[in-house]
Structures are given as C-alpha cells and as structure tokens.
C-alpha cells in the first residue's frame, strides 16, 4: 500500500515492567512501516507496572497495525489500545443547573478544539436545554426528586451508554451522587469535577468550607468517579489565589473558571488517551 | 517642630464596625500633621469587626502621634498599634535539621530585605549551628529526646521570649509539636510552616500522603500555631504542579522552595503589621 | 428618608496628593449618612496623584450624595465619579471570527456574573451572529475589505456609541487596527486583548513569534486602546507554561483560555470602576 | 559480570529524524543488559531533528555500554552522550555583588539537591567571598574596571575552564557583558539569568522598564549565553504578579525569588542532561 497517506496512530500499552518491552514494540512498529513521533513511558515503583503511550505515523490500516502489535502484547500480557489520533470520543454529559462547564465543553468541541462528540446531554433539571440546543446537541430532562426517579435517571444513563456506545461519561457539575452500582459500571470512564483542591474540602459546599477555614487558595479537581465519594483517582487540579475579602458567594463565582478549565483539560487528556490508571493514582502523559 | 524630617508610621486599628471610624481617625491624623500614604480596610461580615491598616507620613514623635490617636481608639473601643515603618521585629527561630527555611530567613534578613532581627536560633538538633553562625546569629542546641527534655526546651523558649522581648516566634521546620500551654502563651505571635496545602494532608509525612493520593499539586501553608494541630489561622499558601513521576523523596525536594518562600512571605507580612486575626481567619493586607 | 433601604455606592476620586483628602471625604460621607465598606487608595510617586476608590452604604439618593461630595471635589480639584454598585455598564463589543472571548463575555453576562449590558455586537465577519443571537444580543455585520468599508465600520462604531450611550468598547479579538482618530475618541474606554505578554511579541502573529523565540511561557494582555499599537496602558496579564512540543497552532489553542479569562477580568474591573489611569500605567484596585 | 549492582545511566541522542532509531537503540540497550526506566523523545518539525533522553538501569560499565551504543550512533550520525545519573557536573560560577543566586546554588548543592560541584567562584567584586567560603568553595576576586581588566577577567575564565575541566559556566547575576569571543567559546555551556520575561525588557534595568511600562507580571529568564545579548536560547522562565503599588526598588526585591529559582532550575536540568539545543530553541525534557 505504498501510495496511501500515512495515518497518525496512538498506542497505549500497560504491562508488568521488565527489560525488552520497548525493543519488542519498536520492532513491531518498524515492521508495520511506522515512525514514532511521540513517546512517553513510566515505570511505577509503587505497582511495578510499565506504562507507555506512543504516537506513530504509519501507512498501515488499523487492522494491519494491530496484527503486528498483538503478538508483542501477548508476550508481555499487556493491556493495550490502538486508536486513530484525533478520533472524537463518544461522550455523555450529565448536568444539573450550573452551565459553565457544559458551556466550555460544547464551545470547545464545536470550535474543533476538543476531540469528543456528544450524542446526548442528560439533566436532572431542564435549565441547560437551550445551551445544548444552541450547539445542536440533544438534551433530555429527567427530574430526580425521589429514590425512584433517581433510579430511573441512572437506568437512563446505562441505556444511553449502550445506545450511543459511550466511551466517556462527564459529570459537568451534576449535583447528584451516583449509586455504587453505577460507579462500578462506569469505572475508569466517568470523570467528575469537584470544586475544591481535594483532599481538602470533600463533600458538600466546599466553597463555604474554604471560606470558613480561611484558605488563601481555592481550587478544582477533576477525578474519576468511584463509589468512595471524592476519593477517585485525580486527573487534574488547579488553584486560584483568593483573600479575606471574598465571601462564599464570590468564591463560587471566582472558582467557576478553574472548574471549567480543569474539567475540560481532564476530558481532553482522556480523549487523547493520555490518562492511565496506576492503582489509586493516574498517569497523565501530558 | 517644623524642621524635623517626616517619619513613616504604620497604624493598625481593629474595632466593631460602625459609621464614622475613618472620619474620626483621619481627623486625628490631620491634627498630628500626618498624610496617609497607604490605606487598607476591611469589614468582616462574619464577625462584624472593622480592620484598618494605614501608613502615615508625619513629623510627630510616636508619643505625640499616639496622643492624638488614643481618644479615637477609646471612643471605638479599638485594639490598635502604632509602629515605625521598617522597624525590625524581634524574632526567635526554632529549628530541627532542615535548613532551607532558616537559610532563606537569614539570607533575606542579612540582605536588608526582611524587617526582622534574630537574637537567637534554638534547635533540638545542632545541625544548623554553622548556618546561624555564618550570619552572626547566636545558636543554642537543646536536644529533645524525652518528655523532660521537651519541657526543658519549651522552658527555654519561654525564657528567651522574655529575655529578648520577642515579638514573633517562627517554627522554621521545627519538627516537635508544641505543648498546648506554649501554644496558648504564644497565641497570635508564633508562625509555623506546614508542608502541604492545608487542610489537605494534616499531620505527619504530608508528602508521602500526597504521593499516595496522587495529587497534581503540592503546597505549603504558613499558619499561626494553635493547640489544635494544623488548624491555626492560615496566613499564606502556595502550590506547585507535580506529576506521576515524582516519588515522595522528590516531592520533598521540590516542595522546599515553596516552604521557604511561603514562610518568609508570612514572616514579612507579620513584621510589616499586615496580618490581623478575624476569628479563625486572617486578614492579610498585602 | 429614614425608611429607605441603604444603597451601595462606588466612588472614585482622583486629584493631586496632599494631606486632608480622606478626612474631608469621610466627613462628607458621614454627613450623607454613609458607612464606608471598602476603601482602596494609592499615592503615585511618579505623578504625584492621589487615587481613591470607596464603596459606601448609604440611604441617600445619588443626587443627595453627590451634593455632599461636590464641594470636597471642588476643593481638591478632583476628577470623581459616583455610581451605584453593580449597575451594568453599557458595552459595545467588536469581533471578527474567533468566538472564545465573545462566548466568555456573554456567558458570564447572561449568568449574572459580569456587570455589563451589551446592546450591540459589531463584526467585520458574520461568523459570530449565531452566538450573539443565542444570548439575545443584536449583531450587525459590516465587512471591512477596503479603506472605504473600514471607514464605514468605524463610523458605525461612533454612531453606536452615541446611540446606545456606550461607556465601554471591547475589542474581543477584533482583528482590525483602529484609526488614530477613533483611538483618540475612545481614549480610556476601549479595551483590547493582545495574545502575548506585552511588551513581548507586539504586532501580528504573536504565537508564531513565541514559538520561534522558544519561550517557556505564553500570555495574554488586556490593555486600553491607544493610537500607539500594543502600547496602551496594561490592565491585566496572565501567562501559561508551554514547552518545546507545542507548535504555533497548538499555542493558539492553548492561549485562548488565557485570552478570554484575561479580557473578561479586565472588563469586570472596568465595569466595577476599579481601573484608573496614572499616565501610561493603570491603577487597578482589585 | 552478573553480580555487579546495576548502575543508572543517562543517554542523550540527537540525529536527523527517520524510522527505526528507537528500535536500533533499544536493541543495543537489551544487548547491554539494560532496562529503560525513563524515556523522552521529540521530533522537531522546525529542524527535522530527533531528540532522545533515556535513563537506563544496567550492570554494564560505561565502556561496555558505550561499545554497544557506538555503532548505532554511527549508523544514524548522531550526537550522543552517556553519563552516570547524578554525577556532579563541574561548574564555574561568575558573580558580581548580588548574592541571592549564588546563595541558592550553593545551599542546594551543599544539601545534596543539585548535582553540581563548584571548584571556583569568580567575582568582579569581593562581596560574596564570605558566602562562598562558608560553603568551602574557593573564591577569586578580579576587579573589572577597564578594557584591560575585563580582558584579564575573561582570560581567567578561560584558564579556569581548562584547569578544572569545567562543563558549565553559570552567570549568577554577573553584571558584565561577556565578549563575543568568550560567548563563542562557551556556546551551549554557559547559562545566564536575566531579570525579565524575555523578550520583554532586554538590556539594562529591566525592573525600571517594567515599572515604567506598568506590566502586571514581572519575570526571570534563564538562557544560554550568546554574543547576541539577551537573545540566547531560553531554558526556563517564571513570572510573578505585581501591581501598581510596587516601585522599581520593590520589584527588584520581589523578583529575586524568581531569579534564583529560575536559574537553579535551569542549572539542575542542564546537570541532568535534560537540555538539548534545537536551533535557537531548547528542548527541555522535564
């Protein structure tokens, strides 16, 4: 296939660390006619795992390329994934009433700056229907006012994940706690934004807590959702300086910038296959 | 006294908030021949207190100036303090083995950049004797290896505070917990540096905790010492970005910059009378 | 008018520095039944000017309050302004094709977080008509393709300023250089966002310049528009860390966050009467 | 040599980019019994060059390891370097009167946090002799007061570089401009700290320039020394927020923190073989 234009591929490869992995993999890549254009690797002393992310330019088809890689993966008993660079990741967004995170995600997606596609936004309030609509994204409102309606909302999440072959669920200031069963089901593919620099100020009203404690920095944390509330692996954090003049309400306003930029950044890294799990910690190949 | 050169004064004034405070104070300043060159004020909605810090250029002596201010302070039942701008604050420094904070404090004091004077450094190890000596600062070593030696160390602190008329005690990575009685005695005039962005990672080994939790930012917090460990009013905080590659030992090294700059900054603000207490929170007139 | 609820006022007051200003002003405020809730002042050593911004709670009407203040202003030959805290400032926004700044301004205005009202967006391209429309803001497209159409665009700006009693003109990535005459006419009330940390990388294609120079930080600068291109008084600047892997196109994407946050911040401070001019420099009472 | 403890090696490898480099190199490493523990690579679109930095654990001696690598380097016509991780780099420091950068470098070197050794500090003033002496570092004072004494100073630099087999020359606020001939001689191994965020405020008195221009951020830039003043490849930059209250003298004080941390960081990266040149730009494998 000498005349095909070279495609750009992203490969992630995780296995127990031992000598020879890079040599074996780079051999398969050479055999597939590929050239490595980006490479990041990490050996975790905590878990003994080896993590690799490569970008490769290669004229091979995905099938051809995978055929070269599969034997190496088998040798090292690796979890691996091959994807086309820039392919939009199918993303379901959950919201309540605050629109700053959804606005940032959809504006950037729409501007071609964020490699996701959003087949559906699900809200437990109808507030953000218009915003989703402006960007041509379907919006469903399902009120959550009781254990029954909460269960129904989560069933709709599960169904939507199936229906749209969802790869990533984003809680864009969705203000309900997911059930342990749903957390389990979405493990490693659901990202939440918490409006504090975790582990400080877990739980409700973090800005009120921050004001009461008199901190000089407020922050935001994007993390994977787990059943253990606000304890999931952290993907990204940012902080902003504040002083004694800011009351809880102003902290809320000030913090929104950090929340949306932090969540969008985490979503971008996930969609670019830059986020890998190492126990309770994340490897982020920035 | 027409020919005296004008001196620069700093005035702090704290009282219950009500109309007319500024007018009354500015009247006293006009009467003292003063001109306000800096002014910061804050009314706390949490406590109903009014906080003011002024810098004033005036040919009055301290006694003359205070005589003008005292009736106003009495009228408003204020806590107030008048000092000469730039007067070095008498500071006792407590250390253990890590020298980065002491080095930063003494280098800056010596360079004329930090308005403190240090009549004594007390260490529970002898490690930093040479460093103190280089800057011409007396150093005393008192080992703390038992409840008795710990009590003796604290008695020496109390004695040194008396002897040198100490206004500020700085725990520059002093690795012993002060007794509640000493905390009480030094309330509002002892500053500690904790190597995390409190309230995250209280207690021992914060960098190990930070590594285990997989945070993306590490930090340092300068706070007033209270009997409630790591819960004292926060004066200053800074953070630094880290990633998955940094193990606990490297976090320690990386964090030292933030520790020393954060502590030095808090000491500077204290020495410039910029830090006022509002319940558990600080007002910092930067 | 004993039963009227107290209103919140913001007062800015600029004059030659000399003793007694604060006392005279606070006397007028006491006479108007006011209580100072925020106060910031600065005496410029460069120009000898005194700058003050106060927030005052007072039951007076604007007219009553102004009547108390006017004699003091006359005594000190001051430029002064009294406004109601939170009154939306009438703002005209100029755009071309990039929407991130307009999106941020309108989203925040719409969310009640930015005290402006936008009666009109003028674009030399039609690209952003839909975005303006979503927020219910009138949009006019006037192509600029020749000296004549450029002059016509500027005439429309001048007419719109008159028609809507515009207080602030925001160049939200408007990619045409304003004529010296228009710069002159809008002096002190037109804000531009430049996508570099000025004075580095003036002129066109700052991100390409930044890449070529190999800087490790890129930035954005919000400044008042003057006829001297990219030399107007700076209101706000932010930077972001980048490394060798980012080409010019990625710098553009990365930088957009800083551009919109920096411009929105500058607009907020202007709208809150926090920005005062001191020669070529700005006083920003944050 | 099965029982020798594995050593840690750092390898840098720069050549024209083409497929197969990683495979060939990783093959040599496997042959040398090595395991790659860190890897960073970059392909420059600007110059077509390939840059690689590896850390490898291997029981081989340096000679054995090099013997495996040499043929690969020859095949790709690469510039390469093999060194032991953590070996102190021989560093000559030039100073004038300001001590904050020298203090930071020597404190960290002394604390085992900076992998350099400093056989000599050369000053055109004697001010810092005591500081060098405290850390046991020889200090030579050679006044520069005329073209002749300047030439003599530079001759002493050249001689010291020879004598001590110097790998890195650090201008730690050395306030003389090096001659073009010396710049040429030290190309790629002399680092200077400039007290602005270049390219803003080149030349003398950057803080005075910064104050006059009214910037809201001041910064520091560590860069390789070239004959083209303040135009050498940038290694690291940091900024700090300032406001209108800071006059030029205060900017000097505030900026010193950034200067010393920025220079120390650049020196650390150089000493860890993380800085590679790509034309006028640097690759920094952080």
């Amino acid at each position: 296939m000498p005349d095909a234009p070279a495609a750009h591929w992203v490969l992630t490869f995780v296995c127990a660390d031992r000598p020879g992995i890079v040599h074996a993999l780079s051999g398969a890549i050479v055999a597939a006619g590929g050239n490595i254009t980006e490479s990041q690797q990490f050996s975790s002393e905590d878990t003994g795992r080896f993590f690799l992310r490569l970008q490769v330019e290669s004229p091979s088809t995905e099938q051809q390329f995978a055929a070269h890689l599969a034997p190496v993966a088998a040798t090292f008993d690796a979890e691996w994934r091959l994807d086309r660079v820039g392919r939009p990741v199918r993303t379901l967004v959950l919201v309540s009433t605050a629109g700053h995170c959804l606005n940032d995600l959809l504006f950037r997606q729409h501007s071609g700056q964020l490699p996701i596609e959003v087949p559906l936004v699900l809200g437990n309030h109808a507030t953000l229907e218009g915003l989703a609509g402006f960007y041509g994204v379907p919006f469903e409102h399902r009120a959550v006012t009781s254990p029954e309606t909460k269960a129904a909302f989560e069933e709709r999440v599960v169904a939507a994940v199936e229906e749209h072959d969802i790869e990533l669920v984003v809680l864009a200031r969705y203000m309900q706690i997911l059930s342990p069963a749903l957390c389990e089901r979405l493990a490693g593919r659901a990202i939440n934004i918490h409006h504090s620099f975790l582990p400080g100020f877990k739980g409700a009203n973090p800005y009120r807590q921050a004001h009461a404690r008199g901190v000089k920095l407020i922050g935001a944390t994007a993390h994977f959702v787990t059943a253990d509330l606000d304890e999931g692996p952290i993907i990204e954090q940012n902080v902003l300086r504040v002083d004694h003049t800011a009351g809880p309400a102003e902290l809320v306003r000030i913090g929104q910038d950090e929340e949306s930029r932090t969540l969008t950044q985490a979503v971008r890294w996930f969609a670019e296959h830059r986020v890998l799990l190492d126990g309770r910690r994340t490897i982020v190949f920035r």
Side-chain angles (χ1 to χ4, degrees), chain A:
Chain A
M1 213 167 61
D3 295 314
H8 289 268
W9 302 97
V10 55
L11 169 68
T12 57
F13 194 95
V14 180
C15 62
D17 196 14
R18 66 183 226 224
I21 306 170
V22 171
H23 189 55
L25 265 176
S26 56
I29 288 164
V30 168
N35 190 28
I36 299 171
T37 57
E38 268 190 59
S39 167
Q40 287 159 296
Q41 73 173 70
F42 177 67
S43 299
S44 171
E45 292 190 12
D46 298 316
T47 61
R49 304 286 282 171
F50 169 90
F51 299 83
L52 182 72
R53 179 187 186 276
L54 295 178
Q55 287 193 203
V56 180
E57 202 173 2
S58 159
S60 300
T61 63
E62 185 160 359
Q63 215 174 353
Q64 291 169 331
F65 200 170
H68 284 285
L69 296 169
V72 181
T75 301
F76 291 96
D77 195 20
E79 300 160 42
W80 63 294
R81 177 160 190 182
L82 182 67
D83 202 353
R84 191 175 283 264
V85 169
R87 180 186 64 78
V89 162
R90 288 175 303 276
T91 303
L92 171 67
V93 184
L94 309 187
V95 299
S96 293
T97 57
H100 54 288
C101 288
L102 181 66
N103 181 58
D104 203 57
L105 289 168
L106 294 185
F107 177 80
R108 287 174 186 285
Q109 187 278 330
H110 187 74
S111 313
Q113 297 165 30
L114 188 62
I116 61 172
E117 53 181 287
V118 183
L120 183 64
V121 174
L122 269 177
N124 66 327
H125 294 268
T127 318
L128 302 177
E129 182 157 17
L131 181 60
F134 173 65
Y135 287 105
V137 174
F139 181 96
E140 281 182 33
H141 169 220
R142 308 222 162 196
V144 172
T145 55
S146 66
E148 291 71 30
T149 50
K150 179 160 177 170
F153 189 97
E154 294 205 348
E155 280 163 30
R156 181 59 190 121
V157 170
V158 171
V161 165
E162 291 298 313
E163 183 183 329
H164 297 288
D165 201 9
I166 291 297
E167 302 166 276
L168 172 64
V169 177
V170 177
L171 282 66
R173 295 302 306 277
Y174 176 66
M175 302 303 280
Q176 297 284 325
I177 296 172
L178 298 192
S179 68
L182 187 56
C183 290
E184 182 62 32
R185 186 170 198 133
L186 299 177
R189 51 181 177 143
I191 297 177
N192 182 47
I193 181 73
H194 184 80
H195 39 318
S196 82
F197 50 89
L198 291 173
F201 310 128
K202 291 180 223 177
N205 284 324
Y207 289 124
R208 196 173 304 165
Q209 293 182 62
H211 177 75
R213 183 65 185 88
V215 291
K216 303 304 183 188
L217 299 170
I218 59 169
T221 303
H223 62 92
F224 280 118
V225 175
T226 60
D228 202 356
L229 188 66
D230 298 336
E231 291 287 349
I234 292 171
I235 301 169
E236 173 65 338
Q237 301 186 285
N238 283 298
V239 294
L240 266 184
R241 183 166 293 280
V242 294
D243 68 14
H244 55 271
T245 62
E250 194 173 357
L251 293 182
V252 169
R253 180 185 69 66
I254 294 172
Q256 292 195 355
D257 259 344
E258 292 312 305
E259 294 169 27
S260 53
R261 76 151 57 189
T262 301
L263 180 60
T264 297
Q265 186 65 284
V267 169
R268 171 176 291 117
W269 285 332
F270 183 93
E272 296 175 350
H273 306 298
R274 296 182 182 278
V275 184
L276 300 169
L277 273 169
D278 182 31
R280 278 183 72 201
R281 309 170 76 242
T282 61
I283 311 303
V284 181
F285 287 133
R286 304 179 65 162

